[in-house]
Structures are given as C-alpha cells and as structure tokens.
Amino acid sequence: MTDYKKYGRQAMRILLQVMAALFLTSLAWVLVYRWVAPPATWLMLDRRAHAPVGKGYYGIREEGRRISYDFKSLDDVAPQVPLALIAAEDQLFLKHHGFDFNALQRAVKTNMQEGHKLVGGSTISQQVAKNVFLWHGRSYVRKAAEAYFTVLIELLWSKRRIMEMYLNVAEMGDCIFGVEAAAERYFHKPANQLSTAEAALLAGVLPNPLRFRASNPGPAARAKQRRVMRNMRRLGGTTYIRAILED
C-alpha cells in the first residue's frame, strides 16, 4: 500500500511538472507574439503541405503553389479594413472580453435545428486564438485549447494587437493569408489603399474564403459585401474604431 502511495505521489508530481511546463511555454508563446509577427501558422503549414505538386524542369517535382503572407502593422492598413472585419464578424469586439455568450447561444440553437446550415458564434479573439496557436480541425480538446488561448490573449494583448493579428493571419483565399496579400492579389494595390467597398468585400468572404472569391465575386459575395457596408455605416464609420487606431 505504501508503494502505491509513493508511486501515486510521484505520478502526481510529474503531472504537475508537465502542466506547469505547458503553461509557462504557452504563456511565453503568447507574450512573444505580443510584439513579434508569427513566421507562419499551423493552417499555413497545412495548406503548404497539401499543395499540389507537379514536374518542373529536368523532371524534378516542385510545388504547384505558394503561401502568400505579408504581415503589416495596423498603421499600414486602411482603417476601413478593421472596421469591415468588425462589421462582418464581431460587432461587439471592442466591448467583450473574448467571448460573446449570446452569439454562442444563438449558434447552438440554430445548429440544433434540423436542416439548418451549421453556423459559428466565435469572436474575433477566438478566431485569432484558433488561427495563430492551434491546428486545423474540430474536437472538444481543440475547443478547450481555443478558449484557453482566447483568455490569454485577452489578458496579455491589447484589442489593437488582436485585430492586427487577425487581419494578417486570416485566410482570404486559397493559400492567401492576411489583408496585404489579399489586396495585392485581388486589387493589385497595398492594403493601405483599399476602399470601403474593397474592404467590405474581403470581410464578406471570410466565413468561407475558398468558396466566395473576392477576385470574381458572385451574387452571394456581393450580397455579403452590401450587408457589411450597411453595418459599417450603422456603427458610425471609422470613428467607431478610433480606440484601436490610436492605441
């Protein structure tokens, strides 16, 4: 019996040490990204790993596509872009502390109804936690990790940094990540020159950037664009996000 207790205490001590190491590692990771741009995200690596390949010169296999990603400061992006993202994705972004519980409840009710398309209730903060720190997929473990990292970034980052990270790592097309890469690809201009309509179009395709294309928007994408522009006007324009622009 004594040996069992001894082994039990040793196992508990090892478990606590592992948990402490994981916590300190995740804390350091989040703190580093408070100032440093991520070199890549797990989704970028996944897209890269599953890119089609073909034969190039001399029969050597080469990658058929590349990741487009160019991290920019919020100061180097047109103010219409963060406003459009808030109008499209999370209109309470400046007010909540990482979670919109009313939106989550509405999503659960909608998803429980038979025949309805699945909808999400994630905030911008949750999407940043998912996009920057976690792997692609769906599971309860991943949702728990998402909640954990959401709490950390809300505690350790400013709203400005969360928005800056979101508009840089969000997937905006096939292998296109961030608003700078999307602006160059779709509109042949840098992100600081995007118009209100262009920002609204990019924000409108975010829920499914592989289906709705900003380069050739169909009726559904145009309808989303108009809805985002209405929300931008209703919020009061860029004065609504003055707090993060001047932070």
Side-chain angles (χ1 to χ4, degrees):
M1 188 68 176
T2 304
D3 289 340
Y4 288 135
K5 289 182 178 179
K6 179 182 177 181
Y7 294 143
R9 285 196 298 269
Q10 289 177 344
M12 181 59 67
R13 186 164 56 249
I14 293 172
L15 178 60
L16 291 175
Q17 289 173 346
V18 170
M19 292 177 64
L22 290 174
F23 171 71
L24 292 175
T25 300
S26 63
L27 191 65
W29 195 6
V30 172
L31 281 173
V32 167
Y33 280 175
R34 179 177 178 177
W35 296 283
V36 177
T41 66
W42 294 114
L43 182 57
M44 293 179 194
L45 296 176
D46 180 72
R47 291 284 188 261
R48 177 84 171 179
H50 293 90
V53 295
K55 289 189 176 180
Y57 291 109
Y58 309 112
I60 300 174
R61 288 169 64 83
E62 59 182 15
E63 296 176 30
R65 58 184 179 177
R66 294 181 178 179
I67 298 297
S68 296
Y69 169 59
D70 187 2
F71 197 99
K72 292 292 182 180
S73 164
L74 195 61
D75 295 329
D76 296 324
V77 175
Q80 288 83 3
V81 175
L83 176 62
L85 294 174
I86 290 174
E89 295 287 297
D90 183 5
Q91 295 178 32
L92 296 178
F93 172 68
L94 299 179
K95 299 178 181 179
H96 63 63
H97 298 290
F99 305 93
D100 184 348
F101 295 104
N102 290 330
L104 288 172
Q105 289 177 351
R106 289 194 299 269
V108 170
K109 289 181 180 178
T110 300
N111 293 338
M112 289 178 65
Q113 296 177 18
E114 193 172 335
H116 276 261
K117 182 180 179 180
L118 292 178
V119 298
S122 296
T123 62
I124 285 176
S125 300
Q126 288 175 272
Q127 292 182 56
V128 168
K130 173 183 65 178
N131 291 340
V132 175
F133 299 102
L134 300 176
W135 61 95
H136 188 59
R138 293 177 180 270
S139 69
Y140 289 115
V141 172
R142 185 174 173 280
K143 290 300 292 184
E146 177 187 304
Y148 169 74
F149 276 106
T150 299
V151 171
L152 281 186
I153 65 175
E154 282 282 342
L155 287 173
L156 300 176
W157 295 358
S158 64
K159 287 289 188 179
R160 175 188 172 93
R161 182 56 173 174
I162 294 173
M163 173 55 70
E164 188 172 71
M165 193 69 75
Y166 182 58
L167 61 81
N168 274 289
V169 303
E171 188 175 25
M172 295 187 172
D174 188 21
C175 289
I176 301 171
F177 291 86
V179 65
E180 180 70 17
E184 293 286 356
R185 177 69 63 88
Y186 301 136
F187 307 117
H188 311 292
K189 62 174 70 172
N192 62 5
Q193 295 181 13
L194 289 174
S195 67
T196 298
E198 291 165 342
L201 181 58
L202 289 180
V205 303
L206 269 182
N208 196 337
L210 301 183
R211 176 186 173 194
F212 302 108
R213 298 182 180 276
S215 59
N216 186 25
R222 288 298 185 189
K224 288 176 177 289
Q225 179 190 35
R226 291 191 293 270
R227 187 196 70 207
V228 172
M229 293 178 69
R230 286 196 300 270
N231 289 340
M232 293 170 71
R233 290 192 294 269
R234 183 175 56 79
L235 290 173
T238 55
T239 56
Y240 181 75
I241 58 169
R242 183 179 301 165
I244 62 173
L245 294 178
E246 299 177 354
D247 190 3

